[in-house]
Amino acid sequence: ASARAMVSTDTTAALRPSRHLFLAAVCLLALFAGLGRVSMWEPDEARFAEATRQMLARGDVLTPWFNDRPRFEKPVGLYWLQLPFVAVLGSSELAARLPVALAGAGCALFTYLIGRRLFGGQVAWIAALALVTSFRVITHARQGLTDIPALLFELMAMYGFLRAHQDGTGRAWLAGWGATGIAALIKGPVAAIPVAVWVAYLMVMRDWSGLRRLRIVPGVLVAAALAAPWYVSMMAVHGRAFVDVSLVSEVVSRAGGDVGPRRGLLYYFEVWPADLLPWTPFFVLALGYVVLVRARVSASERRAALFPAVWFLVVVGAFSLSGSKLPHYILPAYPAAALLVGLFIDRAGTDAAARRFWWAGVALVVTVLVAASVLTWALLQRTANPSMPLPDVVLPLLLTGGGVVTVLLGWRRGPAAGSAAIAGTLAIAVAYASMFVVPHLRGLEPMPPLGRTIAAFAEPGDRVGQYGTFVSGGLVFYSGHRVDRLGTHDDVARFLTAPGRAFCVLARADVTALAGRLPPGRLHEIAQQPRLVVRLNRLFGKRSPYEEPMVLVSNEASHAAAHAGGHAAKR
């Protein structure tokens, strides 16, 4: 096979500067607007942020700590990315999320670079817009989690392997393997995804010379040289405890389904259609279109289109074989889907059959936007908060208006412009929601405000506990204290009656159950926070969307009185 087996149809075509500016604006709105205004999301985001804070406080940049215990569940890469931001900006939501949002913008960039080499500038531009405005990518790029930074380095690796394959010479393969090693420092064995995709693609194409150009043996050594030192140092310091968690529990047991939720073999075929919204219809139509027109395109274009198809199937298929499954595991498949979406929308500008398919996709997307408008309006009506600065109807109007603009631009300017309107609509809606709506939704995350209340009253020697199955990362992060997990009502009773001041967070029903177990003067309510449940039956039924609140109690009355006095002064 030729070294240029996947020649682009338009690799030299330059996009107008306005399109580059539009892509940058979409990334800015979708990923960065209001980034620090929303509290940490449970269960994991605050755990990473707190571990990074404790790394700085302890002066130990090798071992992550959470709640006064070593945290071995994930490698050190994300903590290292967060450290300089936390050091400069302080331990905050913005500092924890900025490196991840920047990685999200990087994912858009490398999707663009890969798409330009495969298909040309316009396909690459549309693909980058689709990726950065798809549901799963937006939600994870705005949280301080490992998935998006790992995806960035996986895309870097994919781009390096693509350049090495196309150019035939140079050291692009070295960059690809180096990126693979860094991805292993962020999220462990999933760093092998780019290698698995390339091997699968080359085998499907029977391109044995391409396998040689991948340089697997020296490449593995390069990746190991970057990733292995931290793993070796952790085993030397922590021994069997590190291996049991990082390798046995997080890799072997998860793959076997012993750790994490077990789901069926076809679980991800139920997940990805929702995760790709609003681009799901175009992806499905793209697959159908590629099959229908395969005889009318050149061999190089067929090879180029086959690559993202193999990429998507390898990722979804590999994770489908795992016993434990979570929705975000297949994030690495979505750049491949975005590339096929971009290819289809680009062809719809010149091919009448593709254009008819595109309009069918637009009809579905506009329907989704209208449905989202109705659901958003219902949510805001049921969770009315007088502190919201703008009317509840603004966000629904943005979504509905975006659907109208999509149809008008598609009619007058073509599919590329109409699709850009979809991306712009989603970016503006996410920015508005992040800045003005989500921060004012009562009860969306009850632990952060309770943690802040603890931080206001608790002193370094005071004890903090939580009744439940696990310790809330948000409670630890916002309180600034170690939190003890209390598994039974008897545990809570002993915790509150032990010498010294103590605070505890538990549900309202548990407070009632404890009232008769404690001696007088040992149970004083300080604050409570409602718990919002966003479900269709709660939004449109008679039942309130709020469940019983989480309550912060103390074994000393002075805290409750001080908190009540503070609220009275604010009023």
Side-chain angles (χ1 to χ4, degrees):
S2 167
R4 289 270 183 181
M6 294 193 299
V7 175
S8 164
T9 58
D10 186 21
T11 54
T12 60
L15 286 173
R16 293 191 297 272
S18 59
R19 293 199 172 188
H20 290 132
L21 290 175
F22 181 79
L23 176 58
V26 166
C27 288
L28 185 65
L29 289 170
L31 304 179
F32 295 93
L35 194 62
R37 288 179 56 82
V38 179
S39 297
M40 297 284 182
W41 298 98
E42 298 285 1
D44 289 325
E45 189 182 17
R47 295 175 184 172
F48 284 105
E50 175 65 11
T52 301
R53 186 193 68 79
Q54 290 201 19
M55 274 182 146
L56 279 176
R58 293 170 179 270
D60 181 357
V61 296
L62 289 180
T63 303
W65 289 75
F66 172 75
N67 209 26
D68 287 347
R69 293 183 178 88
R71 176 171 162 81
F72 300 142
E73 282 79 2
K74 292 294 184 288
V76 76
L78 177 61
Y79 308 111
W80 284 351
L81 292 175
Q82 290 178 330
L83 276 172
F85 293 91
V86 173
V88 173
L89 301 175
S91 184
S92 65
E93 295 91 348
L94 181 62
R97 291 169 178 161
L98 263 177
V100 180
L102 289 168
C107 290
L109 171 63
F110 276 91
T111 299
Y112 174 83
L113 293 175
I114 292 170
R116 189 174 63 180
R117 277 199 164 245
L118 289 174
F119 305 112
Q122 178 154 286
V123 174
W125 178 69
I126 298 170
L129 288 173
L131 178 72
V132 82
T133 55
S134 59
F135 170 76
R136 183 62 62 181
V137 171
I138 283 182
T139 55
H140 272 67
R142 299 181 68 91
Q143 298 181 58
L145 302 173
T146 59
D147 306 278
I148 294 296
L151 178 60
L152 170 61
F153 286 98
E154 289 160 7
L155 286 171
M156 286 182 179
M158 205 77 75
Y159 180 64
F161 296 151
L162 174 61
R163 287 191 59 186
H165 183 82
Q166 287 188 339
D167 298 342
T169 58
R171 298 182 180 179
W173 67 273
L174 181 64
W177 283 103
T180 300
I182 297 173
L185 271 178
I186 296 174
K187 204 169 169 61
V190 298
I193 287 173
V195 181
V197 169
W198 267 102
V199 170
Y201 172 75
L202 295 172
M203 292 181 69
V204 168
M205 296 302 301
R206 299 182 181 180
D207 186 354
W208 315 122
S209 63
L211 284 173
R212 290 194 297 273
R213 286 194 298 275
L214 194 55
R215 304 186 186 185
I216 292 178
V217 173
V220 169
L221 294 176
V222 169
L226 290 172
W230 178 79
Y231 285 93
V232 172
S233 67
M234 291 294 284
M235 286 187 284
V237 173
H238 301 284
R240 182 65 181 270
F242 173 74
V243 175
D244 285 346
V245 175
S246 66
L247 178 61
V248 178
S249 177
E250 288 296 305
V251 179
V252 178
S253 296
R254 282 190 182 274
D258 299 323
V259 173
R262 292 184 63 91
R263 268 102 179 210
L265 184 65
L266 300 180
Y267 170 73
Y268 286 119
F269 291 90
E270 303 170 3
V271 166
W272 70 256
D275 281 2
L276 268 179
L277 285 173
W279 304 100
T280 307
F282 300 114
F283 176 63
V284 175
L285 292 168
L287 295 176
Y289 176 75
V290 167
V291 171
L292 287 176
V293 304
R294 65 185 184 279
R296 304 206 308 264
V297 299
S298 66
S300 63
E301 286 182 290
R302 286 198 298 272
R303 286 193 291 269
L306 182 62
F307 175 60
V310 170
W311 178 352
F312 185 87
L313 290 174
V314 166
V315 174
V316 175
F319 284 104
S320 293
L321 296 177
S322 172
S324 173
K325 297 179 177 69
L326 289 172
H328 60 270
Y329 285 179
I330 59 169
L331 258 172
Y334 298 140
L339 289 168
L340 288 174
V341 167
L343 175 63
F344 167 71
I345 293 173
D346 175 63
R347 295 299 184 266
T350 56
D351 185 289
R355 193 176 303 112
R356 288 192 293 271
F357 277 43
W358 181 82
W359 277 111
V362 168
L364 291 171
V365 169
V366 170
T367 302
V368 169
L369 290 176
V370 172
S373 301
V374 174
L375 293 175
T376 302
W377 177 85
L379 171 66
L380 297 179
Q381 289 297 306
R382 298 298 299 273
T383 59
N385 189 331
S387 65
M388 283 191 181
L390 293 175
D392 297 348
V393 297
V394 173
L395 187 55
L397 284 177
L398 285 174
L399 295 171
T400 304
V404 174
V405 173
T406 296
V407 173
L408 292 176
L409 279 179
W411 183 265
R412 295 178 64 87
R413 302 289 299 274
S419 302
I422 296 173
T425 297
L426 266 294
I428 293 171
V430 167
Y432 175 78
S434 300
M435 290 190 291
F436 301 114
V437 178
V438 177
H440 300 286
L441 285 178
R442 295 183 300 113
L444 195 60
E445 288 291 346
M447 290 301 183
L450 296 178
R452 293 188 187 101
T453 302
I454 293 172
F457 291 106
E459 297 178 359
D462 293 345
R463 293 172 292 114
V464 179
Q466 180 188 350
Y467 175 67
T469 57
F470 65 91
V471 170
S472 160
L475 195 60
V476 177
F477 178 79
Y478 288 101
S479 71
H481 282 67
R482 190 191 75 191
V483 177
D484 296 323
R485 187 183 74 83
L486 308 172
T488 67
H489 287 162
D490 289 338
D491 291 338
V492 179
R494 284 191 292 268
F495 184 80
L496 293 175
T497 55
R501 289 178 293 188
F503 300 83
C504 185
V505 174
L506 62 170
R508 167 63 64 193
D510 298 308
V511 175
T512 303
L514 281 165
R517 293 172 176 254
L518 295 172
R522 285 292 186 170
L523 188 65
H524 303 277
E525 291 189 20
I526 299 177
Q528 67 175 15
Q529 285 292 325
R531 291 188 292 179
L532 177 63
V533 179
V534 184
R535 293 177 184 167
L536 287 177
N537 60 340
R538 299 289 186 94
L539 297 183
F540 296 100
K542 295 182 179 180
R543 188 178 177 186
S544 170
Y546 288 101
E547 289 188 341
E548 63 175 9
M550 299 299 296
V551 182
L552 172 62
V553 301
S554 174
N555 60 0
E556 288 193 5
S558 58
H559 301 301
H563 189 65
H567 274 289
K570 289 178 182 178
R571 289 196 294 271

